[in-house]
Short mmCIF file of all heavy atoms in Angstrom, two decimals:
data_model
loop_
_atom_site.label_atom_id
_atom_site.label_comp_id
_atom_site.label_asym_id
_atom_site.label_seq_id
_atom_site.Cartn_x
_atom_site.Cartn_y
_atom_site.Cartn_z
N ALA A 160 104.27 87.19 73.14
CA ALA A 160 103.38 87.85 74.20
C ALA A 160 104.26 87.80 75.44
O ALA A 160 105.07 86.96 75.66
CB ALA A 160 102.10 87.04 74.42
N ARG A 161 103.94 88.88 76.34
CA ARG A 161 104.63 88.83 77.58
C ARG A 161 103.70 89.31 78.61
O ARG A 161 102.81 90.15 78.33
CB ARG A 161 105.97 89.63 77.53
CG ARG A 161 105.81 91.11 77.48
CD ARG A 161 107.18 91.81 77.37
NE ARG A 161 107.12 93.20 77.57
CZ ARG A 161 107.19 93.85 78.74
NH1 ARG A 161 107.45 93.19 79.88
NH2 ARG A 161 106.99 95.10 78.78
N ALA A 162 103.89 88.96 79.91
CA ALA A 162 103.01 89.31 80.94
C ALA A 162 103.71 89.27 82.31
O ALA A 162 104.81 88.67 82.36
CB ALA A 162 101.80 88.32 81.02
N ILE A 163 103.15 89.98 83.24
CA ILE A 163 103.64 89.97 84.68
C ILE A 163 102.46 89.73 85.54
O ILE A 163 101.37 90.20 85.26
CB ILE A 163 104.48 91.21 85.00
CG1 ILE A 163 103.69 92.57 84.67
CG2 ILE A 163 105.80 91.29 84.44
CD1 ILE A 163 104.35 93.81 85.02
N SER A 164 102.68 88.89 86.60
CA SER A 164 101.54 88.66 87.44
C SER A 164 102.09 88.09 88.76
O SER A 164 103.22 87.60 88.89
CB SER A 164 100.79 87.41 86.80
OG SER A 164 99.76 86.97 87.74
N ASP A 165 101.33 88.25 89.81
CA ASP A 165 101.66 87.61 91.12
C ASP A 165 101.28 86.26 91.13
O ASP A 165 101.49 85.53 92.10
CB ASP A 165 101.12 88.46 92.23
CG ASP A 165 99.56 88.64 92.21
OD1 ASP A 165 98.87 87.79 91.56
OD2 ASP A 165 99.10 89.54 92.84
N GLY A 166 100.55 85.69 90.19
CA GLY A 166 100.10 84.35 90.05
C GLY A 166 98.90 83.97 90.97
O GLY A 166 98.46 82.84 90.99
N MET A 167 98.37 84.93 91.69
CA MET A 167 97.32 84.72 92.60
C MET A 167 96.07 85.59 92.38
O MET A 167 94.98 85.18 92.52
CB MET A 167 97.83 84.81 94.01
CG MET A 167 98.98 83.76 94.42
SD MET A 167 99.66 84.18 95.98
CE MET A 167 98.31 84.26 97.09
N SER A 168 96.41 86.94 92.22
CA SER A 168 95.27 87.87 92.21
C SER A 168 95.31 88.75 90.98
O SER A 168 94.19 88.98 90.41
CB SER A 168 95.37 88.75 93.49
OG SER A 168 94.35 89.60 93.55
N ASN A 169 96.43 89.20 90.63
CA ASN A 169 96.50 90.31 89.54
C ASN A 169 97.53 89.94 88.45
O ASN A 169 98.51 89.37 88.82
CB ASN A 169 96.81 91.59 90.14
CG ASN A 169 95.79 92.06 91.11
OD1 ASN A 169 94.64 92.16 90.76
ND2 ASN A 169 96.28 92.30 92.38
N GLY A 170 97.27 90.32 87.23
CA GLY A 170 98.16 90.09 86.20
C GLY A 170 98.04 91.23 85.13
O GLY A 170 96.97 91.94 85.03
N TYR A 171 99.11 91.45 84.49
CA TYR A 171 99.18 92.51 83.41
C TYR A 171 99.69 91.82 82.14
O TYR A 171 100.84 91.41 82.08
CB TYR A 171 99.98 93.71 83.85
CG TYR A 171 100.21 94.71 82.73
CD1 TYR A 171 99.06 95.44 82.25
CD2 TYR A 171 101.41 94.93 82.10
CE1 TYR A 171 99.20 96.42 81.26
CE2 TYR A 171 101.54 95.88 81.16
CZ TYR A 171 100.50 96.62 80.66
OH TYR A 171 100.63 97.51 79.61
N LEU A 172 98.90 91.84 81.08
CA LEU A 172 99.29 91.29 79.81
C LEU A 172 99.80 92.55 79.04
O LEU A 172 99.08 93.48 78.73
CB LEU A 172 98.08 90.75 79.05
CG LEU A 172 98.25 90.07 77.73
CD1 LEU A 172 99.23 88.93 77.90
CD2 LEU A 172 96.93 89.58 77.24
N SER A 173 101.05 92.48 78.77
CA SER A 173 101.81 93.67 78.30
C SER A 173 101.86 93.75 76.73
O SER A 173 101.69 94.75 76.13
CB SER A 173 103.24 93.69 78.83
OG SER A 173 103.93 94.87 78.27
N MET A 174 102.14 92.62 76.16
CA MET A 174 102.26 92.69 74.65
C MET A 174 101.72 91.38 74.04
O MET A 174 101.99 90.34 74.54
CB MET A 174 103.72 92.69 74.21
CG MET A 174 104.50 93.87 74.46
SD MET A 174 106.25 93.71 73.90
CE MET A 174 106.84 95.36 73.99
N VAL A 175 100.99 91.56 72.96
CA VAL A 175 100.58 90.33 72.13
C VAL A 175 100.75 90.81 70.70
O VAL A 175 100.03 91.73 70.26
CB VAL A 175 99.10 89.99 72.43
CG1 VAL A 175 98.71 88.80 71.54
CG2 VAL A 175 98.78 89.67 73.87
N VAL A 176 101.68 90.18 70.02
CA VAL A 176 101.95 90.63 68.67
C VAL A 176 102.00 89.31 67.82
O VAL A 176 102.62 88.43 68.18
CB VAL A 176 103.45 91.28 68.62
CG1 VAL A 176 103.73 91.72 67.21
CG2 VAL A 176 103.46 92.46 69.59
N VAL A 177 101.35 89.42 66.64
CA VAL A 177 101.34 88.38 65.63
C VAL A 177 101.82 89.01 64.34
O VAL A 177 101.35 90.12 63.90
CB VAL A 177 100.04 87.69 65.60
CG1 VAL A 177 99.97 86.62 64.42
CG2 VAL A 177 99.63 87.02 66.89
N ALA A 178 102.67 88.38 63.62
CA ALA A 178 103.06 88.85 62.35
C ALA A 178 101.88 88.99 61.33
O ALA A 178 101.08 88.18 61.41
CB ALA A 178 104.15 87.91 61.73
N GLU A 179 101.88 89.99 60.52
CA GLU A 179 100.72 90.34 59.74
C GLU A 179 100.22 89.15 58.92
O GLU A 179 98.96 88.87 58.87
CB GLU A 179 101.03 91.54 58.86
CG GLU A 179 99.94 91.87 57.92
CD GLU A 179 98.65 92.52 58.48
OE1 GLU A 179 98.86 93.16 59.51
OE2 GLU A 179 97.61 92.14 58.09
N PRO A 180 101.12 88.43 58.25
CA PRO A 180 100.58 87.38 57.32
C PRO A 180 99.96 86.17 58.14
O PRO A 180 99.18 85.29 57.54
CB PRO A 180 101.83 86.88 56.63
CG PRO A 180 102.95 87.84 56.87
CD PRO A 180 102.52 88.62 58.04
N PHE A 181 100.13 86.20 59.48
CA PHE A 181 99.58 85.05 60.27
C PHE A 181 98.49 85.39 61.10
O PHE A 181 97.99 84.64 61.97
CB PHE A 181 100.75 84.52 61.08
CG PHE A 181 101.86 83.94 60.26
CD1 PHE A 181 103.02 84.68 59.96
CD2 PHE A 181 101.83 82.59 59.75
CE1 PHE A 181 103.99 84.19 59.17
CE2 PHE A 181 102.83 82.09 59.04
CZ PHE A 181 103.89 82.86 58.67
N ARG A 182 97.93 86.69 60.99
CA ARG A 182 96.82 87.12 61.88
C ARG A 182 95.55 86.49 61.36
O ARG A 182 95.39 85.97 60.28
CB ARG A 182 96.68 88.64 61.74
CG ARG A 182 97.91 89.36 62.40
CD ARG A 182 97.78 90.81 62.43
NE ARG A 182 99.02 91.39 62.90
CZ ARG A 182 99.42 92.61 62.70
NH1 ARG A 182 98.66 93.44 62.01
NH2 ARG A 182 100.56 93.03 63.21
N ARG A 183 94.60 86.44 62.34
CA ARG A 183 93.26 85.86 62.15
C ARG A 183 93.35 84.34 61.89
O ARG A 183 92.47 83.84 61.22
CB ARG A 183 92.49 86.53 61.08
CG ARG A 183 92.18 87.91 61.39
CD ARG A 183 91.41 88.73 60.32
NE ARG A 183 91.02 90.03 60.49
CZ ARG A 183 91.66 91.08 61.15
NH1 ARG A 183 92.87 90.78 61.67
NH2 ARG A 183 91.21 92.23 61.22
N GLN A 184 94.33 83.70 62.48
CA GLN A 184 94.42 82.22 62.40
C GLN A 184 94.47 81.58 63.78
O GLN A 184 94.78 80.40 63.90
CB GLN A 184 95.79 81.82 61.69
CG GLN A 184 95.75 82.34 60.18
CD GLN A 184 97.16 81.97 59.49
OE1 GLN A 184 97.74 81.06 59.79
NE2 GLN A 184 97.51 82.88 58.63
N GLY A 185 94.16 82.37 64.84
CA GLY A 185 94.04 81.83 66.22
C GLY A 185 95.45 81.92 66.96
O GLY A 185 95.46 81.49 68.07
N ILE A 186 96.37 82.45 66.36
CA ILE A 186 97.77 82.54 67.05
C ILE A 186 97.69 83.45 68.23
O ILE A 186 98.18 83.19 69.29
CB ILE A 186 98.86 82.96 66.03
CG1 ILE A 186 98.91 81.83 64.92
CG2 ILE A 186 100.16 83.11 66.70
CD1 ILE A 186 99.74 82.27 63.74
N GLY A 187 97.13 84.63 68.10
CA GLY A 187 96.96 85.66 69.16
C GLY A 187 96.26 84.99 70.29
O GLY A 187 96.59 85.16 71.43
N GLN A 188 95.10 84.39 69.97
CA GLN A 188 94.31 83.79 70.92
C GLN A 188 95.09 82.74 71.71
O GLN A 188 95.06 82.65 72.96
CB GLN A 188 93.10 83.09 70.33
CG GLN A 188 92.13 82.55 71.33
CD GLN A 188 90.84 82.03 70.63
OE1 GLN A 188 90.56 82.24 69.45
NE2 GLN A 188 90.03 81.24 71.38
N ALA A 189 95.78 81.82 71.01
CA ALA A 189 96.60 80.84 71.59
C ALA A 189 97.72 81.44 72.56
O ALA A 189 97.99 80.87 73.60
CB ALA A 189 97.26 79.95 70.52
N LEU A 190 98.30 82.45 72.11
CA LEU A 190 99.30 83.16 72.94
C LEU A 190 98.73 83.63 74.29
O LEU A 190 99.20 83.42 75.36
CB LEU A 190 100.01 84.33 72.23
CG LEU A 190 100.97 83.93 71.15
CD1 LEU A 190 101.29 85.13 70.23
CD2 LEU A 190 102.24 83.47 71.73
N VAL A 191 97.51 84.29 74.20
CA VAL A 191 96.91 84.80 75.34
C VAL A 191 96.43 83.68 76.28
O VAL A 191 96.71 83.76 77.48
CB VAL A 191 95.66 85.70 74.95
CG1 VAL A 191 94.85 86.09 76.23
CG2 VAL A 191 96.12 86.95 74.26
N GLN A 192 95.85 82.62 75.68
CA GLN A 192 95.47 81.39 76.50
C GLN A 192 96.69 80.87 77.21
O GLN A 192 96.58 80.48 78.34
CB GLN A 192 94.74 80.43 75.54
CG GLN A 192 94.26 79.27 76.30
CD GLN A 192 93.53 78.32 75.44
OE1 GLN A 192 93.58 78.39 74.17
NE2 GLN A 192 92.70 77.43 76.01
N HIS A 193 97.78 80.72 76.53
CA HIS A 193 99.00 80.16 77.18
C HIS A 193 99.51 81.00 78.38
O HIS A 193 99.84 80.44 79.34
CB HIS A 193 100.03 80.01 76.12
CG HIS A 193 101.33 79.40 76.55
ND1 HIS A 193 101.41 78.00 76.40
CD2 HIS A 193 102.37 79.77 77.18
CE1 HIS A 193 102.60 77.65 76.89
NE2 HIS A 193 103.20 78.69 77.37
N VAL A 194 99.46 82.28 78.16
CA VAL A 194 100.01 83.24 79.22
C VAL A 194 98.97 83.23 80.37
O VAL A 194 99.39 83.11 81.53
CB VAL A 194 100.10 84.64 78.69
CG1 VAL A 194 100.35 85.61 79.86
CG2 VAL A 194 101.28 84.73 77.71
N LEU A 195 97.70 83.26 80.11
CA LEU A 195 96.71 83.39 81.17
C LEU A 195 96.51 82.12 81.87
O LEU A 195 96.18 81.97 83.11
CB LEU A 195 95.34 83.95 80.60
CG LEU A 195 95.16 85.43 80.66
CD1 LEU A 195 96.29 86.14 79.85
CD2 LEU A 195 93.82 85.78 80.16
N GLY A 196 96.66 80.93 81.26
CA GLY A 196 96.36 79.67 81.80
C GLY A 196 94.85 79.39 82.09
O GLY A 196 94.06 80.14 81.61
N SER A 197 94.65 78.53 83.07
CA SER A 197 93.37 78.19 83.37
C SER A 197 92.88 78.82 84.74
O SER A 197 91.76 78.61 85.12
CB SER A 197 93.22 76.71 83.44
OG SER A 197 94.07 76.18 84.44
N GLU A 198 93.75 79.48 85.35
CA GLU A 198 93.47 80.09 86.65
C GLU A 198 92.36 81.21 86.52
O GLU A 198 92.66 82.18 85.66
CB GLU A 198 94.68 80.64 87.36
CG GLU A 198 94.38 81.35 88.74
CD GLU A 198 93.80 80.40 89.71
OE1 GLU A 198 94.35 79.39 90.03
OE2 GLU A 198 92.67 80.77 90.17
N THR A 199 91.27 81.14 87.17
CA THR A 199 90.21 82.12 86.95
C THR A 199 90.14 83.04 88.11
O THR A 199 89.30 84.06 88.08
CB THR A 199 88.86 81.36 86.78
OG1 THR A 199 88.54 80.59 87.88
CG2 THR A 199 88.76 80.56 85.56
N ASP A 200 90.94 82.91 89.12
CA ASP A 200 90.92 83.84 90.23
C ASP A 200 91.80 85.08 90.13
O ASP A 200 91.92 85.96 90.93
CB ASP A 200 91.32 83.21 91.59
CG ASP A 200 90.25 82.24 91.98
OD1 ASP A 200 89.06 82.37 91.66
OD2 ASP A 200 90.59 81.27 92.75
N ILE A 201 92.40 85.15 88.85
CA ILE A 201 93.41 86.31 88.66
C ILE A 201 92.64 87.37 87.72
O ILE A 201 92.03 86.97 86.79
CB ILE A 201 94.62 85.83 87.88
CG1 ILE A 201 95.46 84.89 88.82
CG2 ILE A 201 95.51 86.99 87.53
CD1 ILE A 201 96.62 84.27 88.09
N THR A 202 92.67 88.58 88.10
CA THR A 202 92.17 89.67 87.36
C THR A 202 93.22 90.18 86.44
O THR A 202 94.23 90.58 86.91
CB THR A 202 91.65 90.86 88.15
OG1 THR A 202 90.57 90.33 89.01
CG2 THR A 202 91.17 91.99 87.26
N TRP A 203 93.11 89.97 85.12
CA TRP A 203 94.12 90.36 84.20
C TRP A 203 93.72 91.76 83.57
O TRP A 203 92.52 91.87 83.27
CB TRP A 203 94.20 89.36 83.01
CG TRP A 203 94.91 88.16 83.49
CD1 TRP A 203 94.34 87.00 83.98
CD2 TRP A 203 96.32 87.94 83.46
NE1 TRP A 203 95.32 86.04 84.26
CE2 TRP A 203 96.55 86.63 83.89
CE3 TRP A 203 97.33 88.68 83.04
CZ2 TRP A 203 97.88 86.06 84.06
CZ3 TRP A 203 98.69 88.12 83.13
CH2 TRP A 203 98.85 86.86 83.69
N VAL A 204 94.63 92.66 83.38
CA VAL A 204 94.38 93.99 82.80
C VAL A 204 95.37 94.07 81.63
O VAL A 204 96.43 93.43 81.50
CB VAL A 204 94.50 95.11 83.71
CG1 VAL A 204 93.51 95.00 84.84
CG2 VAL A 204 95.90 95.12 84.36
N LEU A 205 95.01 94.96 80.65
CA LEU A 205 95.83 95.25 79.46
C LEU A 205 95.42 96.58 79.04
O LEU A 205 94.43 97.17 79.37
CB LEU A 205 95.69 94.13 78.54
CG LEU A 205 94.26 93.86 77.94
CD1 LEU A 205 93.88 94.82 76.80
CD2 LEU A 205 94.19 92.47 77.50
N ARG A 206 96.17 97.15 78.10
CA ARG A 206 95.90 98.33 77.34
C ARG A 206 95.59 97.89 75.97
O ARG A 206 96.31 97.24 75.34
CB ARG A 206 97.16 99.25 77.40
CG ARG A 206 97.43 99.76 78.77
CD ARG A 206 98.70 100.60 78.83
NE ARG A 206 98.40 101.90 78.12
CZ ARG A 206 99.32 102.67 77.60
NH1 ARG A 206 100.60 102.37 77.68
NH2 ARG A 206 99.01 103.87 77.05
N ALA A 207 94.35 98.33 75.51
CA ALA A 207 93.85 97.92 74.17
C ALA A 207 93.72 99.13 73.27
O ALA A 207 92.66 99.41 72.82
CB ALA A 207 92.65 97.14 74.33
#
């Protein structure tokens, strides 16, 4: 996963990729959680 953010207000989650055999095991969720952290004042956007 990769992301860009000012760390205060806005962030862009650019890629979240998990290898096919490992999907639906919480890996993607863990990657997103790691990138976003616990800061709730940042608006994160992405293309889905």
Side-chain angles (χ1 to χ4, degrees):
R161 72 181 193 95
I163 48 181
S164 173
D165 56 24
M167 298 170 53
S168 180
N169 299 303
Y171 175 65
L172 185 57
S173 179
M174 291 180 172
V175 178
V176 182
V177 175
E179 179 67 39
F181 297 94
R182 292 181 187 162
R183 294 180 178 38
Q184 298 178 31
I186 297 165
Q188 181 177 352
L190 285 164
V191 172
Q192 183 176 16
H193 187 90
V194 169
L195 271 57
S197 60
E198 179 58 59
T199 58
D200 289 336
I201 298 174
T202 297
W203 286 92
V204 297
L205 57 84
R206 297 175 70 201

